[in-house]
Amino acid sequence: TGQDKEMAVFSVPSYACQRRTTLDNQNTTLTDALSLLAENAELSDEDGRGVAFRRAAAVLKALPKPVTDMAQLRGLPCLGEHSLRVIRDILENGMSSEVESTKQSERYKALKVLTGIFGVGAKTADRWIREGIHTLHQLRDSGHTLNRAQQAGVFLHYDDLNRPVSKADADIIGETVGKAVDAVLPGAQVTLIGGFRRGKLTGHDVDFLITHPEEGREEGLMPKVVSWLESRGFLLYQKTTRNSYLECKDGPARPPSNIDRFERCLSIFKLANEETGGTTQLETLTENGTEPAGHRPWRAVRVDLVVSPVSQFAFALLGWTGSKLFERELRRWAGYEKAMSLSSHALYDNKQSRYLRATSEEEIFAHLGLEYIPPSERNA
Ligand code: GTP
Ligand code: MN
Ligand code: MN
């Protein structure tokens, strides 16, 4: 028809790691809808459905123009029947009844509130919902014993931790982490990873990767950094985990020499704040000794610290820069297309039965037979 020549026709490779996905998303209405269904599936322990919606959303994020007609989607990968139905509803009716009813459902709303608590995942939230707990007040009154992370998450810092972190906040925290690392191990290097490395302007946390150019010097670094920060009052909460290779589910077992060298610290930083924040929705919950946000000169910010030996740095950098879907697709590509196993520690070639070394992300992409995609284009 005459319309056809006006209509952009899209072509997209099937793995997200083969595509350049910037933050300039031309289809936010559609991708927000699919992301909400993905989130709802993930929170309901339906990971398969969740990934399907995430992949569909990622294809739309990679399109250079807004989709206006279903015909434009012909031949595109990863768009299943269900995702196509949601897209059609939105293009034809301006909304998807499934998305709207999910958003309004008591279950989804309760899942959002409860998993908004630091330290509470889908399983715990689901158990509480089945007990009739839908709100923070109901949780407080339920008499449930919460672990240390959950107590920090629900009673102390709920509002702060559910407010986006800005790049400016990330940079201030980066300076503090840099000072700590420099003080305990001169020459060690701190790199901003996660969403901020991909150019995002806000995030749910700030992620840093720490290494030292001399292999082995990074050993034992995390506890020292944490003590330095703790003794100066920068930490509201921290939990350091020593990563053993048994805990590393998503890749090959690492060589024995590398066991126990990869450490992670989940923390909550106390960030000095010049401006006063907005009013908290939870002032009634902060009666256990903490001042509500807006009345105090600081806010709580989630910070992830990871220490990697320099021999694994490129893999850690690639693995912790994200996005989550981009990472998942890289591992899927490696496994299905190249018979390789990729993790945040190493790349193993199953055909050659050997690890492939790399000192940069570019080398890892090259090993995988992929065109190099810079962090700002990994926003799948
Ligand atoms: P926001 O923080 O929401 O802005 O986005 P983000 O992309 O920074 O997400 P997040 O901080 O959750 O994770 C950053 C990257 O670290 C993602 O690529 C994750 O896949 C990766 N990541 C998170 N947790 C783990 C983990 O336990 N092990 C490994 N290997 N990677 C992880
Ligand atoms: Mn992050
Ligand atoms: Mn993180």
Side-chain angles (χ1 to χ4, degrees), residues 193-196 203-207 304:
I193 47 173
F196 288 114
H204 98 282
D205 69 355
V206 193
D207 309 280
D304 279 341

Side-chain angles (χ1 to χ4, degrees), residues 108-117 134-136 158 162:
Y108 175 77
K109 284 192 278 188
L111 279 169
K112 285 290 278 185
V113 168
L114 298 176
T115 57
I117 302 170
H134 287 209
T135 67
L136 298 183
Y158 188 88
N162 283 285

Side-chain angles (χ1 to χ4, degrees), residues 329-340 342 347 368:
E329 294 277 276
L330 269 177
R331 294 192 300 266
R332 191 165 69 97
W333 168 273
Y336 280 85
E337 305 295 332
K338 298 285 154 182
M340 293 179 187
L342 175 68
L347 178 63
L368 291 168

Side-chain angles (χ1 to χ4, degrees), residues 165 193-198 200 202-207 243 247-250 262 264 266 302 304 306 315-328 331 343-345 378-379:
V165 185
I193 47 173
F196 288 114
R197 182 162 183 254
R198 301 197 307 276
K200 279 179 65 181
T202 61
H204 98 282
D205 69 355
V206 193
D207 309 280
N243 238 357
E247 285 162 348
C248 178
K249 288 171 288 188
D250 55 2
F262 208 80
R264 176 178 182 184
L266 291 175
R302 274 273 299 109
D304 279 341
V306 187
F315 297 99
L317 184 62
L318 179 60
W320 284 83
T321 294
S323 69
K324 283 193 181 90
L325 185 78
F326 192 90
E327 303 295 338
R328 181 185 265 278
R331 294 192 300 266
S343 75
S344 297
H345 300 280
R378 296 180 203 158
N379 286 292

